[in-house]
Amino acid sequence: MKSFGKLLTLCALGFSLSTLAQNSPTISKVWVSDLGNGQYKNPVLDADYSDPDACRVGNDFYMIASSFDAVPGLPILHSKDLVNWTIIGHALKRQPPFEHFSKTQHGNGVWAPAIRYHAGEFWIYYPDPDFGIYLTKAKNPTGPWSEPILVEEGKGLIDPCPLWDTDGQVYLVHGWAGSRAGIKSVLTIKKMNAEGSKVVDEGKIIFDGHETDPTVEGPKFYKRNGYYYIFAPAGGVSTGWQLVLRSKNVYGPYERKVVMNQGNSPVNGPHQGAWVDTPTGEDWFLHFQDKDVYGRVIHLQPMKWVKDWPVIGNDPDGDGIGEPVMTYRKPNVGKTYPIVTPAESDEFEGNTLGLQWQWQANPKGIWHSLTNKGSLRLYSQKVPDNAKNNWEVPNILLQKFPTEKFTATTKLIFTPNQKLENEKVGLIILGKSYAHIGLKSKGKEGIFLIYGESQKASEGKPEVETIVEAPIPANTPVYLRVKVLDKARCQFSYSLDGQTFKNMGEPFQAIVGHWIGAKIGLFCTRTTQINDSGYADVDWFRIEALP
């Protein structure tokens, strides 16, 4: 049987690239993988697109990633050559159960998903470790996506991937989260109904990794040359290896082989991802590397088949265990495509937010508007009564770090409600500890420039706030900036003229979030509920290289 990827080329396509409703193509000022000479450098995405899966449909590649509690969720990226990627949409506009995810749920929500193209539709199976395995479908990758349905309800069911077999049977492989299920390091295969919408049996454990492959998870299911293959990471997120299992029978027994590890490369824990092929017949593997505060970034590795086993990356000693490459020739896809990268900066000139933005919870329609004047208006929202700091505030608008070093600057005007005190707007670096620079209203006393910081925010530690400069005249544009320096040290600064910036003390040390890297973004909050809010008009948000 031909590879799963090759089967996709036979599908009748109901859309074309010209119909993709994506933002205008952009080129990052801080990280571009395409070297412009027929080669690329890893990572192809130096941002936190963790737990990637991908498929090819004709000449187009589509990739998705876990999104945990961030909304919109399940980002969908598109590429023509596996090197140049853009964000084209999200499969989850809101995350169910809707009331549950109206509050921050750090580390919960969408874990490792799978995407396949079958019977003229895109299918995404994703796990929520607290509720079960969901399915959402669409004929067009930009949507609309169907309302998610539970394929199987339960706790601890994670990392699902389907397989439509040649005899008409439909299977689902998944892993287990020890934190919810009380067991991990095993993989289970279950039957689904013909529609692929329901699990119909209790399943069978087909691999136990306790002795050789602890924390085996993230399985991806394929069939090739009569073999069933399960690609699965093992050994832990930052320290593990890429495992492949194969069998002539769907339920095994499965042979085991390590096909990629760190070797002599600088890439720790290279694993979990997707096998794809090109229209010209080449094989490639997309996977992540855990870079701590920067999140799980995406690498692209060449792949070849040797005696019906995949070898991923470079294999200098010929033992069948590859190691990651840092630079390599670009995939042969039949032609050369322009350099593009996911959106980072936003001028707020359209009627929708850039696709790089996500909230900390299911959003409400009163959190923001786009004014048709080329700015984003953020309305102050009352922080939850039980929130000890911004870690627990839903209406924080965030995006991923685009690379290790960069500058982010925003220009805004703050118009607080004069009847309120303690309305705030700011630029924030958010992880389990956070810091921000911003403006705070103190009613009739005026608007003050502030710096806030919370060490161990995820443990409920309070924010320490310092007034930096006061008062700021009303209707005055203020420029807020943070430079993300080496080792994620973040130097905040501000300006009243857009030219001369004043630093805010010593750099803040950014740290990880819950299963994710640190993020950067904007917030507008208040502590009192009355019948109207103040607001901030954000003219633009720009990511640039360090000077």
Side-chain angles (χ1 to χ4, degrees):
M1 178 179 176
K2 299 295 184 182
S3 74
F4 181 85
K6 288 183 173 66
L7 284 177
L8 298 179
T9 64
L10 303 178
C11 297
L13 307 184
F15 57 91
S16 66
L17 181 60
S18 62
T19 66
L20 294 180
Q22 53 189 311
N23 290 356
S24 299
T26 60
I27 300 179
S28 174
K29 295 182 179 180
V30 295
W31 184 263
V32 177
S33 172
D34 194 325
L35 297 175
N37 59 359
Q39 294 191 315
Y40 71 94
K41 64 180 178 180
N42 271 319
V44 289
L45 292 170
D46 200 22
D48 189 12
Y49 291 98
S50 63
D51 309 322
D53 192 34
C55 66
R56 176 172 66 84
V57 183
N59 295 319
D60 297 284
F61 299 93
Y62 300 95
M63 180 166 62
I64 60 174
S66 57
S67 51
F68 300 100
D69 65 331
V71 181
L74 280 170
I76 302 167
L77 294 95
H78 170 261
S79 179
K80 283 286 194 179
D81 61 8
L82 294 171
V83 172
N84 293 283
W85 293 91
T86 57
I87 312 173
I88 61 171
H90 296 83
L92 290 180
K93 300 304 181 186
R94 294 190 305 155
Q95 186 161 190
F98 300 132
E99 179 60 27
H100 180 78
F101 285 102
S102 68
K103 306 175 182 65
T104 56
Q105 297 287 344
H106 295 282
N108 301 330
V110 177
W111 286 22
I115 183 170
R116 294 291 181 264
Y117 188 72
H118 171 73
E121 292 183 292
F122 290 89
W123 302 58
I124 293 178
Y125 290 81
Y126 76 87
D128 183 315
D130 295 308
F131 296 99
I133 293 170
Y134 288 90
L135 166 66
T136 179
K137 299 194 295 181
K139 292 185 180 299
N140 190 307
T142 60
W145 288 85
S146 63
E147 286 296 319
I149 60 171
L150 270 173
V151 174
E152 183 176 20
E153 185 176 1
K155 286 187 176 291
L157 309 170
I158 61 169
D159 308 350
C161 186
L163 178 73
W164 289 268
D165 208 347
T166 50
D167 61 1
Q169 297 293 325
V170 188
Y171 300 99
L172 191 75
V173 64
H174 70 80
W176 297 88
S179 57
R180 277 80 163 178
I183 187 173
K184 64 175 185 175
S185 300
V186 296
L187 302 178
T188 295
I189 288 178
K190 296 174 177 175
K191 276 190 178 182
M192 290 195 288
N193 60 10
E195 295 74 30
S197 60
K198 278 292 180 185
V199 165
V200 297
D201 67 8
E202 73 280 7
K204 178 181 179 181
I205 293 175
I206 54 85
F207 184 74
D208 185 330
H210 282 97
E211 287 83 8
T212 58
D213 300 284
T215 319
V216 64
E217 57 188 351
K220 298 295 180 284
F221 216 172
Y222 308 96
K223 194 174 185 182
R224 175 189 182 272
N225 285 355
Y227 282 104
Y228 295 91
Y229 288 93
I230 298 174
F231 287 47
V237 169
S238 61
T239 56
W241 50 89
Q242 181 64 37
L243 186 71
V244 168
L245 312 173
R246 77 175 186 185
S247 176
K248 291 283 188 175
N249 185 293
V250 69
Y251 291 111
Y254 278 85
E255 302 173 83
R256 165 198 176 274
K257 184 174 175 58
V258 174
V259 298
M260 181 177 63
N261 59 22
Q262 180 170 353
N264 295 316
S265 81
V267 182
N268 60 291
H271 60 49
Q272 187 154 339
W275 161 38
V276 292
D277 68 353
T278 69
T280 61
E282 293 183 346
D283 296 293
W284 295 82
F285 188 74
L286 290 154
H287 68 93
F288 76 69
Q289 172 199 9
D290 188 295
K291 289 173 60 177
D292 193 57
V293 65
Y294 303 108
R296 304 174 191 178
V297 304
I298 304 301
H299 290 244
L300 176 66
Q301 304 298 336
M303 178 175 138
K304 62 182 179 180
W305 290 91
V306 178
K307 297 180 180 180
D308 285 323
W309 286 106
V311 180
I312 300 174
N314 184 35
D315 182 17
D317 59 7
D319 65 354
I321 304 174
E323 61 184 50
V325 300
M326 298 312 297
T327 60
Y328 204 75
R329 66 164 179 84
K330 290 171 60 179
N332 177 7
V333 293
K335 61 182 294 187
T336 300
Y337 291 94
I339 294 175
V340 292
T341 59
E344 297 162 356
S345 299
D346 201 336
E347 298 295 315
F348 304 117
E349 292 177 343
N351 57 10
T352 58
L353 286 167
L355 295 173
Q356 68 270 35
W357 295 108
Q358 296 172 295
W359 301 96
Q360 283 214 116
N362 283 334
K364 296 180 180 179
I366 54 173
W367 287 1
H368 85 285
S369 69
L370 288 151
T371 64
N372 295 321
K373 298 177 182 178
S375 62
L376 163 68
R377 178 163 289 184
L378 294 174
Y379 301 96
S380 73
Q381 301 294 309
K382 183 180 179 297
V383 300
D385 290 335
N386 60 350
K388 299 178 178 63
N389 52 54
N390 277 334
W391 178 255
E392 297 170 311
V393 172
N395 63 306
I396 300 183
L397 186 62
L398 298 163
Q399 63 171 282
K400 310 170 192 299
F401 275 23
T403 189
E404 293 185 15
K405 299 178 184 180
F406 62 95
T407 298
T409 310
T410 189
K411 176 187 177 185
L412 58 83
I413 295 176
F414 189 29
T415 307
N417 184 329
Q418 294 300 318
K419 297 178 181 179
L420 289 170
E421 293 188 0
N422 296 320
E423 280 189 302
K424 294 195 289 188
V425 62
L427 172 68
I428 189 168
I429 297 285
L430 184 68
K432 290 184 176 180
S433 296
Y434 71 78
H436 64 76
I437 187 171
L439 300 173
K440 178 178 180 178
S441 169
K442 301 189 80 172
K444 294 180 180 179
E445 293 183 49
I447 299 171
F448 295 74
L449 199 139
I450 59 166
Y451 174 79
E453 187 174 306
S454 176
Q455 295 291 335
K456 299 184 178 179
S458 62
E459 299 176 22
K461 302 300 182 183
E463 179 182 309
V464 177
E465 182 181 285
T466 304
I467 293 177
V468 178
E469 184 170 318
I472 303 293
N475 299 315
T476 298
V478 177
Y479 301 79
L480 307 176
R481 172 175 287 176
V482 61
K483 293 180 181 179
V484 179
L485 308 168
D486 62 297
K487 299 181 181 180
R489 296 178 305 114
C490 302
Q491 180 65 66
F492 287 89
S493 61
Y494 70 95
S495 174
L496 299 180
D497 61 10
Q499 301 297 319
T500 303
F501 283 80
K502 184 176 180 180
N503 284 345
M504 293 295 307
E506 295 299 314
F508 164 75
Q509 179 60 60
I511 65 170
V512 297
H514 196 161
W515 304 126
I516 63 173
K519 288 187 173 183
I520 184 170
L522 303 162
F523 69 92
C524 190
T525 59
R526 67 179 190 252
T527 58
T528 306
Q529 184 76 353
I530 63 169
N531 66 354
D532 201 5
S533 72
Y535 53 85
D537 288 318
V538 185
D539 193 357
W540 43 257
F541 181 96
R542 294 173 184 165
I543 299 285
E544 298 174 301
L546 290 173

